[in-house]
Amino acid sequence: MRMHRLALTTTLLVSTLAAQAEKQEKVEPLTLVSRAEKLLQQKEVEDAVLVLWQALDLLATLPSHPVHDSTAVSARFLLNENDPREAQRRAVFASVGKQEVELAAAYRGKKWLDTAEGRLDVADRYDRDAGAKERAALEAAKPKSKPGAAAKEVPKPAAGKLSPLLLRANTEWVHGEWKEVGDALECQAPKGDHLEWVTKATHGDHEIVVEFRPVEPTQDHNAILAVGLGIREGSANYSGYRLQCDYDPPSKEYGLILWAIRGMTFENLVAAWVKGTPSADGFHRVSIQVRGPRLRAQMDQGAPIEVATPADVRGKVGLLQGVSDASTCAVQFRNLRVDPLPPDRSTDGERRTSDEAANQDAIAKAVADAKELIIKKPEPASQLLREALGRVAAMSAGVLRTNLQKSIDQMLVQADPLAARRRKTEQGIATELATLADAYGKAGLYRVALELVERAAAYDPEGQAARLAAAREAVAQWNLAQAKARANELAPPADDGAVLRTWFEKGRQFVSYGLPFAVNGAIACAEGLTAGTVASWAPPLRMPRVEKYSVYVNLPAVGANGGLVFDAVNSTKFGVVCLERHSKGMRLYASLRAGESSWVPLAQREVEMDAWRRDGWHQITVESSAAGLTATCGNTKLQVPRAQLGKAAGEIGLYAFHTADGPVAVQFCAFAVGK
């Protein structure tokens, strides 16, 4: 009997890759505290306070550990030494933590254990020690499973037939025990083994979709959707592409990993962490969109991950469960299908319209699901309603938003016996935070004050709306004053342009469509950029290959993007590292172009920057080596392993485009190589 081995080689490999993905997305608290010390040496006290608060917020989510604990002590020491209002802040935060713990205890008394745990998680952000005793009581209150006891009850599957691709008659290969439960297939891979379900169905350019639900939602579990399946000549197992969804109980997040399997070779293509947002009956939606060589994978409404593969992806569709050396609870799969691709959303206007419609649909679904649950299962109903309220808050102000909010509030009072008490507590917390914000505002620390008012508004959006608007206006005025007083810091760096001219004065337009650059003295400029217009410029072909290079870019308006080309093979196959100016700040990102109209995002991160600095010049550094890509802007760093990039090609260039109304001119200066 042939053996099909699609499980990952070891859990250690998965853990390492997941840790690498997390490191790209999250800044270490130790790094933040070190940055704050440097800011204090430069007398940038307000910036340091904000960074130290960020570090403490992050530490509140991490387990106790000698490094974490010493980092927290260091952060508090620096705050005590440099912020005269630190004692007042600690008192207010301790009060908030205490009130959240009291709410948690009240919910525990109602046996709303998930809600209680959520309040304790919030309490940790304000006072890590306040909830220790209550958390122990909560753990003791949780039901304990006895050896041999039945699995935790989950909602019963809807009655009805299995979808066609979950019928055994439509399979090409099945490994392990899969049993029919209502309209779903249920399976549980033994530790160290895996289960497979390979269908006879094939796909071309389609969206492949499945829904899965863990029987024990809080326990370790995994589920895998596979596309492009086929057995290569000389191989005994299926090759193809697998989207692995691994649940991590401590973080309550899913690690998504997209793998390429070629015989017994396993290659990680891209990884990310997402928050799962299941439907009312506990199912998550997982999809892979196939467009020729491009794969776009997504779980629920989380951010998608995308890759470009060496060739068009074609083959059979399947499911897997189980990871080597890891345990998993039982998982149910339903509605496995091959659908037509959704249409591309090409314009910002269409995207906004679609996003608004999706948000309204999600609100309607959450309310409808809550209505079904409100009598027999009020706790999950209340969670759905609070999620819906959050979505309502994101809507544009108007009659519709007001009426939706009132209607959902009324349902929440019906579902949650502590709704009135919780609302009163939240309003009191908001008042305390806003009062603390006033103290910082009077001291001229307007950005710190805004941070506190935003926390207050999260508790009481309506009550703090005017205060929030005033805090934002104060920061806006502060930014204007800073830009005027520190205009010299917005000027371009001192550079005669010699290196820039050597590389680009006799350059060439790199992408056939769009605009060229003009090199004049110390400046290279992409002029006349309007919405959707691209400008590109490459040095003469005789220039040597360089691994590390940098440039300063000036982005004059929201929607402007500018940066560097790396690993260019030709005008339709290259990478870019760009800085984007958007309505709320600056974002550094890296992407690959893999065809006439195909872009694959690699990594992105917001760049910490005061609003008044956005009109200045910003250095972008790129290093593309055998190890991969490293890109930096200020304190922001992106790292992408070489496996996700393909072979290092070597040709470089300048790149700019605009996504809003124009025209605008994106300027570059102080180009340098090797630094």
Side-chain angles (χ1 to χ4, degrees):
M1 178 180 176
R2 62 182 182 182
M3 288 297 294
H4 297 270
R5 194 65 183 169
L6 299 184
L8 305 182
T9 52
T10 62
T11 301
L12 178 61
L13 176 61
V14 176
S15 301
T16 302
L17 292 168
Q20 290 172 348
E22 183 174 11
K23 189 174 181 181
Q24 288 183 30
E25 297 299 323
K26 296 179 181 178
V27 181
E28 289 294 328
L30 193 64
T31 302
L32 292 172
V33 174
S34 176
R35 186 190 307 170
E37 281 200 275
K38 293 176 182 177
L39 288 168
L40 289 170
Q41 292 169 3
Q42 299 165 6
K43 307 301 182 183
E44 300 284 356
V45 175
E46 185 174 18
D47 295 273
V49 168
L50 288 168
V51 171
L52 290 169
W53 286 10
Q54 182 184 355
L56 289 174
D57 279 351
L58 184 54
L59 286 163
T61 68
L62 300 174
S64 179
H65 179 278
V67 173
H68 296 160
D69 296 344
S70 62
T71 303
V73 170
S74 300
R76 295 190 183 104
F77 173 81
L78 291 172
L79 286 169
N80 280 324
E81 291 295 308
N82 295 280
D83 181 5
R85 290 149 296 276
E86 173 60 10
Q88 183 182 358
R89 183 196 73 85
R90 290 288 298 275
V92 171
F93 276 33
S95 173
V96 174
K98 179 175 180 292
Q99 292 176 75
E100 288 286 7
V101 170
E102 290 171 349
L103 271 179
Y107 276 116
R108 175 172 59 83
K110 298 292 184 182
K111 301 190 184 302
W112 284 32
L113 304 186
D114 289 342
T115 304
E117 187 170 22
R119 302 330 301 163
L120 289 178
D121 290 343
V122 175
D124 283 349
R125 186 184 181 192
Y126 290 91
D127 187 348
R128 185 68 178 267
D129 299 326
K133 184 176 179 181
E134 177 55 32
R135 195 173 288 279
L138 179 62
E139 289 300 318
K142 291 181 178 179
K144 304 296 187 295
S145 58
K146 298 179 181 179
K152 181 179 178 181
E153 181 184 356
V154 297
K156 293 181 179 180
K161 296 180 179 180
L162 293 170
S163 59
L165 298 188
L166 296 181
L167 296 174
R168 194 170 291 263
N170 293 329
T171 61
E172 180 176 278
W173 168 260
V174 176
H175 172 63
E177 182 182 355
W178 300 72
K179 62 180 180 180
E180 183 176 344
V181 181
D183 64 348
L185 281 183
E186 183 175 294
C187 62
Q188 181 172 6
K191 185 174 181 178
D193 199 359
H194 69 288
L195 305 179
E196 300 177 51
W197 183 275
V198 181
T199 73
K200 296 177 181 177
T202 60
H203 69 82
D205 284 357
H206 292 96
E207 181 177 45
I208 297 86
V209 182
V210 74
E211 299 170 38
F212 79 88
R213 172 174 70 188
V215 171
E216 292 278 1
T218 62
Q219 302 302 311
D220 288 307
H221 57 269
N222 57 73
I224 302 170
L225 175 63
V227 300
L229 295 178
I231 298 178
R232 292 185 169 193
E233 184 177 354
S235 176
N237 65 289
Y238 285 97
S239 297
Y241 295 88
R242 281 74 171 166
L243 176 63
Q244 178 177 319
C245 309
D246 278 326
Y247 183 68
D248 177 52
S251 67
K252 300 180 183 178
E253 292 183 322
Y254 281 89
L256 301 188
I257 307 177
L258 192 58
W259 294 87
I261 287 73
R262 303 176 184 91
M264 289 306 296
T265 300
F266 293 76
E267 180 185 359
N268 167 261
L269 300 179
V270 63
W273 288 98
V274 301
K275 290 282 188 183
T277 52
S279 60
D281 57 358
F283 277 91
H284 296 275
R285 182 185 188 274
V286 177
S287 67
I288 301 176
Q289 293 180 7
V290 181
R291 286 183 169 88
R294 296 165 53 203
L295 298 179
R296 182 181 189 272
Q298 186 175 24
M299 179 177 176
D300 297 327
Q301 298 302 314
I305 54 178
E306 299 188 40
V307 297
T309 65
D312 288 356
V313 178
R314 299 289 186 265
K316 293 181 171 61
V317 173
L319 304 172
L320 295 94
Q321 200 225 10
V323 177
S324 296
D325 301 325
S327 59
T328 177
C329 70
V331 169
Q332 297 172 352
F333 292 94
R334 74 179 183 189
N335 294 337
L336 176 62
R337 60 191 188 273
V338 178
D339 289 344
L341 283 170
D344 284 329
R345 295 180 294 172
S346 56
T347 68
D348 288 343
E350 290 173 342
R351 187 175 297 109
R352 283 192 297 271
T353 300
S354 178
D355 289 344
E356 289 173 1
N359 189 51
Q360 292 169 11
D361 289 345
I363 292 170
K365 186 177 187 306
V367 172
D369 290 344
K371 189 175 181 180
E372 293 292 326
L373 295 169
I374 204 165
I375 301 300
K376 294 183 177 180
K377 296 186 177 182
E379 183 178 13
S382 71
Q383 292 170 341
L384 287 169
L385 291 170
R386 293 189 185 281
E387 177 187 335
L389 280 175
R391 290 182 177 276
V392 169
M395 294 174 60
S396 301
V399 174
L400 179 59
R401 188 179 76 173
T402 300
N403 289 336
L404 278 173
Q405 190 171 34
K406 288 180 180 178
S407 176
I408 296 171
D409 275 333
Q410 291 172 357
M411 291 182 67
L412 189 57
V413 170
Q414 181 184 355
D416 185 352
L418 297 175
R421 174 180 172 178
R422 180 167 171 174
R423 175 62 59 84
K424 184 177 180 180
T425 298
E426 290 174 338
Q427 290 173 339
I429 288 174
T431 299
E432 288 188 67
L433 291 170
T435 301
L436 178 62
D438 289 339
Y440 280 96
K442 289 177 182 177
L445 277 68
Y446 302 111
R447 292 169 294 155
V448 175
L450 176 58
E451 161 72 17
L452 291 167
V453 175
E454 287 176 340
R455 295 190 187 210
Y459 276 105
D460 183 15
E462 289 188 46
Q464 296 298 323
R467 183 69 183 82
L468 180 61
R472 287 172 173 166
E473 177 60 24
V475 170
Q477 292 300 319
W478 179 86
N479 279 314
L480 288 173
Q482 291 295 307
K484 183 177 180 180
R486 303 168 72 169
N488 61 311
E489 295 181 41
L490 301 180
D495 181 79
D496 62 6
V499 178
L500 177 75
R501 290 191 297 275
T502 298
W503 279 81
F504 294 107
E505 189 171 38
K506 296 181 180 179
R508 67 196 194 281
Q509 189 170 334
F510 183 62
V511 179
S512 58
Y513 63 86
L515 302 174
F517 274 68
V519 180
N520 185 9
I523 301 294
C525 184
E527 299 182 23
L529 293 173
T530 56
T533 306
V534 170
S536 61
W537 201 243
L541 292 171
R542 68 176 183 275
M543 298 304 291
R545 182 182 184 277
V546 292
E547 288 189 350
K548 188 173 183 179
Y549 47 104
S550 64
V551 76
Y552 282 79
V553 63
N554 174 256
L555 305 174
V558 170
N561 293 250
L564 294 163
V565 173
F566 69 93
D567 286 358
V569 176
N570 53 47
S571 63
T572 62
K573 188 175 182 181
F574 59 90
V576 296
V577 171
C578 283
L579 185 65
E580 174 195 8
R581 182 168 180 175
H582 57 84
S583 60
K584 295 182 179 180
M586 296 281 198
R587 180 183 298 116
L588 184 69
Y589 65 89
S591 296
L592 283 179
R593 189 180 183 198
E596 286 294 337
S597 60
S598 174
W599 285 93
V600 179
L602 297 171
Q604 67 174 25
R605 178 178 282 175
E606 293 298 313
V607 178
E608 294 182 8
M609 186 184 302
D610 292 328
W612 68 271
R613 293 186 184 274
R614 296 172 195 167
D615 286 328
W617 291 77
H618 313 288
Q619 186 180 33
I620 301 172
T621 300
V622 168
E623 183 172 6
S624 179
S625 65
L629 172 74
T630 300
T632 59
C633 180
N635 293 315
T636 302
K637 178 183 287 188
L638 302 178
Q639 290 182 298
V640 183
R642 177 53 58 188
Q644 290 180 228
L645 301 170
K647 185 178 179 180
E651 195 172 356
I652 66 173
L654 306 177
Y655 199 83
F657 66 96
H658 193 46
T659 60
D661 293 336
V664 300
V666 176
Q667 296 181 303
F668 296 77
C669 74
F671 180 78
V673 296
K675 58 182 179 179

